[in-house]
Amino acid sequence: MTIKKSYLFLVLTLLLGTEIQAQDAVARVREKFFTPSPDYVMVVSHRGDWSISPENSIPAVLDAFNLGAEIVEIDLQRTKDNRLIVMHDKTIDRTTTGKGVIAELTLDSIRNVFLKDSAGVVTSHKVPTLEEMMLAVKGKPLLINLDKAWESFDLVMQITEETGTTPQVILKGNEPMSKLRQQYGTLIDSVIYMPMVWPEDYTIYSREKVITPYEYTKDFIDDYRPKAFEVIIKDEVSSVDDALKLMKDEGITVWINALWDELCAGHEDAKAIHDPDAHWGWIINKGANVIQTDYTRELIEYLRSRGLHK
């Protein structure tokens, strides 16, 4: 074998090894999400770690990952020229140096603005496209929860398939799997789909009749058996308690949000950073295997102090 061929063989071997390692890394974090343990709580960073970098930016997502978050939630909006960008609001007013409704702006015009941090200070960072974001996290042991994705689901799947990042995607929603399969076919089976379970005070419109959270959960388990449920808890003694017990008995991951009081019976992040046992601890005792937070660093430090995170 010539030196040139030997070098080419070495390069190809290294590339193949890197690809296999990336697939293994993604598989490991998926397995952790699929197999809940009472001894471990996964952390979801809401819009990335925006304590330093702008929310929904690539640096914020990578900062959250480097802190130890296994999942990052990001938001999608669609531009006038049908490009998906990573941004929460329907306008660019709050988070960038520009102004305008995203659906009325082209990607090129959005490329001209800069992102602001949480204090409103202008940074050097640009608004990322979904493609750029997924390439930035590709192969890392990190899952990405895409919010506001349903209106552009076909385009989302095209991008994640082209970037080879579909296994890293989590989508959530209120629709039954039968309706999603009717609408999207087998494409929906390519991603992790996480149903949302609401208190019975909330009318569930996705079925022909209003059903209890327990019935909704059981129907989903019977029809689809999802890997996880996102559970909204309004009161400390909640109508979702029976559903939570069913999830635990079935070995299904429970995702609870600590972002705002109406999502977690008043035990939100803003209180938890002052008394974590009373609030994040309450969420854990309620059955959470996954907690979404705006305080990534603080939650991870708390979990590690209790031996619930590595």
Side-chain angles (χ1 to χ4, degrees):
M1 186 180 291
T2 65
I3 294 176
K4 185 175 181 180
K5 287 183 178 179
S6 298
Y7 176 75
L8 179 59
F9 177 76
L10 177 61
V11 170
L12 291 174
T13 301
L14 290 173
L15 289 174
L16 179 60
T18 301
E19 179 66 23
I20 292 172
Q21 289 178 353
Q23 291 174 359
D24 288 346
V26 173
R28 286 196 300 273
V29 74
R30 281 168 60 92
E31 182 64 18
K32 191 182 294 184
F33 187 69
F34 295 167
T35 55
S37 166
D39 301 320
Y40 196 90
V41 177
M42 300 179 76
V43 172
V44 185
S45 184
H46 182 233
R47 305 180 198 173
D49 178 32
W50 46 266
S51 60
I52 299 176
S53 301
E55 67 175 61
N56 275 314
S57 67
I58 289 175
V61 170
L62 296 180
D63 287 348
F65 169 72
N66 290 329
L67 286 172
E70 296 94 346
I71 307 169
V72 176
E73 183 265 4
I74 61 174
D75 304 282
L76 300 182
Q77 298 291 342
R78 193 165 184 157
T79 66
K80 182 180 180 180
D81 51 343
N82 291 320
R83 299 296 300 274
L84 291 179
I85 63 170
V86 183
M87 185 167 292
H88 177 270
D89 300 358
K90 291 184 179 296
T91 74
I92 63 172
D93 299 19
R94 178 178 65 87
T95 56
T96 80
T97 53
K99 291 187 179 300
V101 177
I102 295 170
E104 299 172 359
L105 298 171
T106 64
L107 179 61
D108 284 346
S109 63
I110 295 173
R111 292 288 198 194
N112 293 323
V113 305
F114 293 90
L115 287 168
K116 298 177 183 177
D117 65 17
S118 59
V121 176
V122 178
T123 72
S124 61
H125 302 304
K126 297 282 191 172
V127 178
T129 63
L130 176 60
E131 179 181 14
E132 290 167 342
M133 180 64 77
M134 297 312 296
L135 286 173
V137 303
K138 182 177 180 178
K140 298 183 184 300
L142 180 69
L143 301 178
I144 301 296
N145 175 212
L146 299 180
D147 202 2
K148 308 181 191 305
W150 288 112
E151 293 182 2
S152 304
F153 181 68
D154 291 343
L155 183 54
V156 167
M157 291 303 300
Q158 178 185 331
I159 292 169
T160 62
E161 285 294 298
E162 288 175 353
T163 56
T165 56
T166 300
Q168 292 178 251
V169 170
I170 300 173
L171 295 179
K172 65 182 181 181
N174 297 303
E175 301 295 351
M177 182 53 60
S178 57
K179 183 174 180 179
L180 293 174
R181 284 207 176 102
Q182 183 179 11
Q183 187 171 359
Y184 300 114
T186 57
L187 195 62
I188 188 62
D189 294 302
S190 302
V191 297
I192 304 167
Y193 177 64
M194 179 173 64
M196 300 174 69
V197 178
W198 298 80
E200 64 182 1
D201 309 65
Y202 295 83
T203 302
I204 299 173
Y205 290 100
S206 58
R207 301 290 176 110
E208 293 180 357
K209 61 179 181 178
V210 178
I211 58 177
T212 67
Y214 178 87
E215 291 170 327
Y216 182 77
T217 301
K218 188 175 187 309
D219 281 356
F220 241 111
I221 292 173
D222 292 342
D223 292 345
Y224 173 61
R225 192 170 180 82
K227 303 299 184 182
F229 285 96
E230 178 178 321
V231 184
I232 312 303
I233 305 176
K234 183 180 179 182
D235 302 302
E236 293 209 3
V237 178
S238 173
S239 57
V240 300
D241 287 348
D242 288 343
L244 286 168
K245 183 179 184 304
L246 178 60
M247 294 170 204
K248 181 179 179 180
D249 291 343
E250 292 288 335
I252 296 175
T253 293
V254 174
W255 169 314
I256 296 177
N257 300 309
L259 309 173
W260 307 296
D261 60 359
E262 65 267 25
L263 302 177
C264 51
H267 295 280
E268 75 272 19
D269 284 327
K271 297 174 184 174
I273 57 170
H274 302 294
D275 192 349
D277 282 327
H279 301 291
W280 285 329
W282 183 90
I283 292 173
I284 294 167
N285 291 337
K286 203 69 174 176
N289 311 112
V290 179
I291 299 176
Q292 182 171 198
T293 182
D294 276 322
Y295 292 85
T296 306
R297 183 188 304 274
E298 291 84 353
L299 175 56
I300 289 174
E301 288 175 352
Y302 170 68
L303 293 174
R304 289 177 177 171
S305 74
R306 292 187 51 178
L308 295 173
H309 200 275
K310 295 180 181 179

